[in-house]
Amino acid sequence: QVQLVESGGGLVQPGGSLGLSCAASGSGLSINAMGWYRQAPGKQREMVAQVTRGGRINYADSVKGRFTISRDNAKNTVYLQMNSLKPEDTAVYYCAMGYGLGFDFWGQGTQVTVSS
């Protein structure tokens, strides 16, 4: 059973930075897709960023130029560096991983709050 453990959420002021990480355990196969999603109160979950094992990256338009996704295949870990944070980035952030192009496993979520 694959488990994803997230860390790095918290409270940050507008314009600040925060880094998230998500490590997978229990995976016996190579993980292809890794990504981050978020869900704000009253809104649907939305894709933030995703990266394939081959390095193909996709960002939501709202975070382009501010967020950076990266991964360490040896550690089965995905990272999200968030810079120039805005109040509208406030949400629960979820990591997701999958063996193919889709996501088979989800983290428990970590709260990110951007507020002064």
Side-chain angles (χ1 to χ4, degrees):
Q1 181 72 20
V2 176
Q3 291 187 324
L4 305 184
V5 179
E6 303 166 2
S7 60
L11 173 65
V12 64
Q13 292 186 344
S17 299
L18 206 59
L20 305 180
S21 64
C22 174
S25 62
S27 174
L29 301 174
S30 296
I31 295 174
N32 179 49
M34 294 185 175
W36 291 93
Y37 283 68
R38 67 186 181 187
Q39 187 167 19
K43 295 187 177 181
Q44 290 187 335
R45 188 175 297 189
E46 62 175 356
M47 188 275 293
V48 177
Q50 52 191 19
V51 56
T52 66
R53 190 173 184 86
R56 180 172 297 179
I57 292 175
N58 187 33
Y59 291 105
D61 288 342
S62 59
V63 307
K64 283 181 180 178
R66 301 188 298 121
F67 290 12
T68 302
I69 189 171
S70 61
R71 61 187 284 167
D72 185 331
N73 292 329
K75 296 181 180 180
N76 277 341
T77 299
V78 62
Y79 307 93
L80 185 68
Q81 179 62 39
M82 304 181 290
N83 299 328
S84 302
L85 282 160
K86 305 175 181 179
E88 50 263 44
D89 293 318
T90 295
V92 177
Y93 284 70
Y94 300 88
C95 70
M97 297 187 185
Y99 294 126
L101 296 178
F103 295 105
D104 306 299
F105 313 104
W106 293 82
Q108 78 283 1
T110 185
Q111 178 69 45
V112 171
T113 302
V114 184
S115 175
S116 55

